[in-house]
Amino acid sequence: IEGIKIAIHTMNENDKITAGHPKDLDREITENEINNIRNAFRYRIPSLDGKLLNSSTCMYTATKDEHFIIDWHPNDSQV
């Protein structure tokens, strides 16, 4: 396998972004975040614990109960 994408959704009071704009997002991936992700999948799929090829952040919106909404935007056909 050349590489796979692994992500963990976490949200707590320290993670909430108040600005809500992509330019204000802290895009630095910390060693602690990498270790947390590795610890999560190392237990389930140990053979994936190899070289980190790339890392990036992903910003998205969720409801207050942290569920996703998949729908059409009522005022914009491109969203």
Side-chain angles (χ1 to χ4, degrees), residues 6-52:
I6 298 176
I8 294 180
H9 163 79
T10 60
M11 184 172 294
N12 59 46
E13 290 305 313
N14 296 327
D15 293 333
K16 294 186 182 199
I17 299 170
T18 57
H21 194 280
K23 70 180 174 88
D24 298 323
L25 181 64
D26 180 4
R27 297 185 181 276
E28 179 184 352
I29 310 297
T30 67
E31 285 297 318
N32 188 49
E33 290 170 315
I34 293 170
N35 289 335
N36 286 343
I37 291 172
R38 283 187 181 277
N39 288 336
F41 73 78
R42 183 181 290 131
Y43 171 75
R44 292 168 182 83
I45 313 170
S47 61
L48 296 181
D49 193 15
K51 179 182 174 185
L52 176 63

